[in-house]
């Protein structure tokens, strides 16, 4: 636990703004291993895309499976 949060909860907090986040942000938050918490979130039906931006690993939260996007009708 870090600051009272399980590792997957901390990762979800970082990704919750649905912007692209780099692996360095997870390391700076105190996580030595961020891939396992991302895997756990995916098993809990969170959709997290992995990509590489300028040679750096990056992740973006899309939403939860079955969730209707809020910006769908804008």
């Amino acid at each position: 636990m870090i600051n009272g949060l399980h590792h997957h909860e901390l990762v979800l907090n970082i990704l919750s703004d649905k912007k692209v986040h780099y692996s360095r942000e997870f390391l700076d938050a105190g996580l030595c291993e961020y891939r396992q918490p991302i895997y756990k979130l995916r098993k809990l039906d969170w959709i997290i895309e992995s990509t590489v931006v300028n040679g750096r690993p990056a992740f973006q939260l899309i939403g939860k499976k079955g969730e209707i996007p809020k910006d769908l009708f804008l």
Side-chain angles (χ1 to χ4, degrees):
M1 293 184 96
I2 298 174
N3 295 329
L5 296 173
H6 292 281
H7 291 182
H8 69 281
E9 293 171 326
L10 180 59
V11 168
L12 189 57
N13 271 356
I14 293 170
L15 295 174
S16 65
D17 62 2
K18 296 190 176 183
K19 295 180 182 177
V20 173
H21 292 274
Y22 298 97
S23 58
R24 185 83 226 159
E25 294 175 63
F26 304 117
L27 298 172
D28 289 345
L31 292 168
C32 294
E33 171 56 52
Y34 58 88
R35 292 171 296 203
Q36 190 64 33
I38 289 174
Y39 173 77
K40 182 172 184 171
L41 287 169
R42 287 176 172 153
K43 287 194 62 119
L44 294 171
D45 290 336
W46 287 99
I47 302 168
I48 300 171
E49 288 190 352
S50 302
T51 189
V52 176
V53 179
N54 296 325
R56 297 171 60 197
F59 302 90
Q60 183 176 18
L61 178 69
I62 303 303
K64 193 145 183 156
K65 289 181 184 174
E67 180 180 77
I68 298 173
K70 292 179 182 172
D71 59 352
L72 185 63
F73 301 107
L74 292 179

